[in-house]
Amino acid sequence: MTARPYVLLSAATSVDGYLDDTSPERLLLSNAEDFDRVDEVRASCDAILIGATTMRKDNPRLLVNSGERRAKRLAEGRPEYPLKVTVTASGDLDAELKFWHFGDQKLVFTVDSAIDKVKATLAGLADVVSVGPELDWELVLDELGRRGVGRLMVEGGGTLHTQLMAQNLADEVHLAVAPLLVGQADAPKFLAAADYPGGSTSRMRLLEASAIGDVVLLRYAPKERG
């Protein structure tokens, strides 16, 4: 049986747990030093995953920005950029977004009812795979493992983070906490209400807590609950 990838959830939040505010512009929570750390983590991964909602809202290129890190990947026999992955149950994707036009290979996971729509929209911009009548994260991870993805970085949004944490599929969490308060009920949060493994008294193992300028990086091992 092919091994599933190591799943790393990466997010920057305000002190009150928000990923963004409700303004049209993206709220920059990290500082320059932390953005560079994220770039280093991206370079270490075989694939980077974001949800379709995050893609539509932020329109990211989702690249390894450092030329030195890209050169190191090539020297190691890896592609210059990690595989870029998204998931969509609705099939509502926009072929004009930056995600499709920068970097190397792209992969979309969808469901049976939307696969024809996604293929027609993207017209060869990405490989498109259905995992059945409903989005099944275990099948997504199985397929990524078959494609040689050993390390997967998930950069959001909150719906993906919540689903993977609730299904106990995340191996590691990187949470950069910025000294900001959002306080807007309609703003997106890192995690939503869910039936998390072990319940509210189950403590994750802390791997690291470090200051990066005015941001604090917390690394946890979600599967190691006690």
Side-chain angles (χ1 to χ4, degrees), residues 28-200:
L28 296 180
L29 291 154
S30 293
N31 53 36
E33 191 178 353
D34 187 57
F35 281 127
D36 186 64
R37 176 195 63 82
V38 171
D39 194 65
E40 184 175 21
V41 176
R42 284 181 179 177
S44 74
C45 292
D46 301 301
I48 305 170
L49 169 67
I50 61 169
T53 300
T54 299
M55 190 192 306
R56 289 189 291 266
K57 186 176 187 300
D58 296 343
N59 194 20
R61 295 184 307 162
L62 214 66
L63 301 175
V64 174
N65 294 314
S66 165
E68 182 178 343
R69 290 175 184 137
R70 296 198 306 272
K72 183 174 183 290
R73 287 177 59 89
L74 290 171
E76 294 170 345
R78 296 191 292 163
E80 183 176 6
Y81 295 99
L83 171 70
K84 297 200 296 187
V85 187
T86 191
V87 294
T88 175
S90 68
D92 294 333
L93 298 173
D94 183 347
E96 299 303 315
L97 293 176
K98 295 175 184 177
F99 183 93
W100 312 112
H101 301 285
F102 294 88
D104 292 330
Q105 295 185 333
K106 293 91 182 176
L107 174 62
V108 181
F109 287 102
T110 188
V111 294
D112 292 346
S113 60
I115 189 167
D116 290 339
K117 178 181 179 181
V118 173
K119 286 183 174 181
T121 298
L122 297 181
L125 290 172
D127 193 5
V128 182
V129 175
S130 175
V131 290
E134 296 180 350
L135 190 62
D136 185 320
W137 279 108
E138 296 201 13
L139 293 180
V140 168
L141 295 179
D142 286 342
E143 179 62 22
L144 288 172
R146 280 193 291 271
R147 290 171 179 251
V149 174
R151 185 173 171 90
L152 172 68
M153 183 179 187
V154 182
E155 294 200 37
T159 298
L160 270 63
H161 290 319
T162 298
Q163 291 173 353
L164 289 165
M165 289 285 277
Q167 295 179 42
N168 207 30
L169 295 173
D171 296 287
E172 188 173 335
V173 174
H174 289 190
L175 191 64
V177 181
L180 300 173
L181 295 170
V182 173
Q184 299 172 343
D186 294 334
K189 300 201 78 169
F190 168 52
L191 294 174
D195 185 14
Y196 293 109
S200 59

Side-chain angles (χ1 to χ4, degrees), residues 2-14:
T2 304
R4 290 174 178 170
Y6 184 90
V7 178
L8 187 160
L9 307 189
S10 175
T13 74
S14 60

